[in-house]
Amino acid sequence: TLRRLPRGIWALGLVSLWMDISSEMIHALLPVYLVTYMGASMVTVGFIEGLAEAIAAITKVFSGALSDWLGKRKILAVVGYGLAAVTKPVFPLAPTIGWLVGARFIDRIGKGIRGAPRDALIADISPLVLRGASFGLRQTLDTVGAFLGPVIAVLLMWLTTNNIPLVFWFAVIPAFVSVLLLVTLVPEPERPADLPTVKSPLSLHELKRLGGAFWWVVAVASVFTLARFSEAFLILKAHAEGAPTGLIPVVLVVMNIFYAVAAYPAGVLSDNGTRLRVLAFGMVLLILADLVFVLVPGLTGVFIGLAIWGVHMGFTQGVFSSLVADSAPVELRGTAFGMLNLMTGVMILLASVIAGVLWDRAGPQGTFLAGAVLATLALFGLIPLRRVLHRKNADQEGAENA
């Protein structure tokens, strides 16, 4: 299957890998840099991170719609990755917190601009029979970058005697490699002549044209995202069970390793007409991970839960993207991915607030049990989604036969 994937899919995966290495090298050290070198408060750090992610989520909606209006995806992906790359030298050069805040925001705007058009581009250039594998490969390489970045940052901190600005300079290199790969190796597919022109992608008329199947996918993804709160609570759970502070970063490394290993095989499995079964299995894994965190004590339970949590990510995130590509009209794919990102972005924020309240009032057990209940609700949501998708496929076959 890997050999059958188009070169552009491989290139997009490598683009994500290199940019994630660069971004995570900086993000792993930026909070410490803000507090230690720049004298920022923890409130300032939290405000910067929260606002930056909100900006990214909102930008994805408009960039996806713009790609549908233009009928082109690559140019917006280049702009998004390019903005992220040109901000990287600002981090080691910034004389004040204001410069760092500006660079962080522009970096997240870049992420928002590239996200939906990139996913729509993957759907455009991947063969239908390899769509799940294509999203799975991109997810795998993206996740590899997510854990390689902090590991490289730790090694460079050791080699440079904790010289954070110098580590930031090293992060500039993979960012520009990412943009170079995108410009030279990723094609802009030809727009079919019979494809309708989209004049107002975010109008009520066009949003209705996305169809019931798409909106059911978004609804299930939204409920499921409520169950999948921020990984910060996994770190807190590890700390509560006695993990040494110096080893806390290992928590996310372990989770991302299992995520990366699972994502591509899950995508391949989903291409065999079993997307919803693969997704259901991933949801069951999240329920199981939550129960392990509740029932298995100590660090043994933490690391078993982390492994299962990582595999569940691999079996769900790329499959949701494939379902969006399956259900949305071709000419509105950018808008569709933008709406999915907006809804799940809002839900992850809400989920983390709910998880925090439950943690304060009922402890870790309350948080993870609530996650298991919400994941179960999302699992039951697959029953009507299956009927809607089946009806959509039957209608398409009928139209083609006619």
Side-chain angles (χ1 to χ4, degrees):
T1 302
L2 284 172
R3 292 180 180 178
R4 294 166 59 200
L5 292 175
R7 186 183 71 169
I9 296 296
W10 276 101
L12 280 167
L14 292 173
V15 167
S16 293
L17 169 70
W18 283 102
M19 185 56 77
D20 257 43
I21 288 174
S22 173
S23 296
E24 293 303 325
M25 285 175 67
I26 290 175
H27 299 165
L29 299 173
L30 187 59
V32 175
Y33 188 67
L34 282 166
V35 173
T36 304
Y37 284 70
M38 295 293 183
S41 66
M42 294 304 294
V43 173
T44 301
V45 173
F47 175 77
I48 291 171
E49 291 301 308
L51 188 57
E53 293 305 323
I55 287 172
I58 293 170
T59 308
K60 286 177 183 177
V61 179
F62 295 102
S63 66
L66 183 58
S67 76
D68 289 335
W69 181 74
L70 291 172
K72 296 183 181 297
R73 319 286 192 195
K74 180 178 173 178
I75 181 64
L76 290 171
V78 171
V79 170
Y81 279 102
L83 276 177
V86 298
T87 62
K88 294 300 189 284
V90 177
F91 289 96
L93 291 172
T96 64
I97 291 178
W99 280 85
L100 288 173
V101 171
R104 180 77 170 115
F105 284 176
I106 294 172
D107 174 72
R108 293 299 86 183
I109 289 172
K111 180 180 180 180
I113 290 174
R114 69 182 183 253
R118 178 203 59 206
D119 289 344
L121 184 57
I122 291 173
D124 289 346
I125 65 178
S126 61
L128 177 59
V129 294
L130 296 174
R131 183 173 288 162
S134 299
F135 280 106
L137 178 66
R138 206 279 303 172
Q139 204 75 53
T140 289
L141 292 176
D142 186 83
T143 309
V144 168
F147 71 75
L148 277 182
V151 170
I152 293 171
V154 169
L155 290 175
L156 288 173
M157 286 286 283
W158 176 68
L159 290 172
T160 63
T161 320
N162 296 330
N163 189 332
I164 294 180
L166 185 55
V167 176
F168 285 169
W169 276 117
F170 277 103
V172 172
I173 300 170
F176 281 92
V177 170
S178 175
V179 176
L180 180 63
L181 289 173
L182 177 59
V183 171
T184 58
L185 296 182
V186 178
E188 176 73 68
E190 290 287 335
R191 181 180 174 86
D194 59 346
L195 203 63
T197 301
V198 181
K199 295 182 179 180
S200 303
L202 294 178
S203 66
L204 184 60
H205 172 71
E206 298 295 356
L207 292 178
K208 285 182 178 178
R209 276 213 312 123
L210 287 170
F214 165 77
W215 287 111
W216 260 111
V217 172
V218 171
V220 172
S222 298
V223 175
F224 186 66
T225 303
L226 272 179
R228 191 183 58 79
F229 38 76
S230 168
E231 282 80 16
F233 291 94
L234 305 183
I235 293 173
L236 290 173
K237 175 63 174 174
H239 189 264
E241 294 293 345
T245 302
L247 293 180
I248 287 297
V250 174
V251 169
L252 295 185
V253 172
V254 169
M255 187 207 73
N256 280 317
I257 287 173
F258 281 91
Y259 183 3
V261 169
Y264 177 71
V268 173
L269 283 174
S270 77
D271 283 329
N272 297 323
T274 58
R275 290 212 212 286
L276 292 187
R277 292 182 186 177
V278 172
L279 186 57
F281 181 67
M283 291 179 174
V284 170
L285 286 176
L286 178 58
I287 296 168
L288 181 59
D290 284 327
L291 294 178
V292 167
F293 283 128
V294 171
L295 299 174
V296 182
L299 290 178
T300 299
V302 169
F303 283 100
I304 293 173
L306 284 172
I308 300 172
W309 189 286
V311 177
H312 114 265
M313 293 283 285
F315 271 76
T316 56
Q317 301 310 293
V319 177
F320 272 124
S321 295
S322 299
L323 285 170
V324 169
D326 291 343
S327 59
V330 174
E331 68 275 13
L332 287 172
R333 277 177 178 161
T335 304
F337 279 108
M339 294 304 299
L340 175 72
N341 286 320
L342 175 64
M343 294 301 297
T344 54
V346 170
M347 288 300 171
I348 194 67
L349 175 60
L350 182 58
S352 297
V353 171
I354 294 171
V357 171
L358 288 172
W359 191 289
D360 286 339
R361 296 186 177 182
Q365 290 79 5
T367 296
F368 288 107
L369 281 175
V373 171
L374 288 166
T376 303
L377 288 175
L379 182 61
F380 281 110
L382 295 182
I383 297 173
L385 175 58
R386 182 176 181 274
R387 290 198 294 266
V388 172
L389 288 173
H390 179 74
R391 187 161 57 246
K392 180 181 187 299
N393 291 334
D395 290 344
Q396 285 181 337
E397 290 177 4
E400 290 172 1
N401 292 335

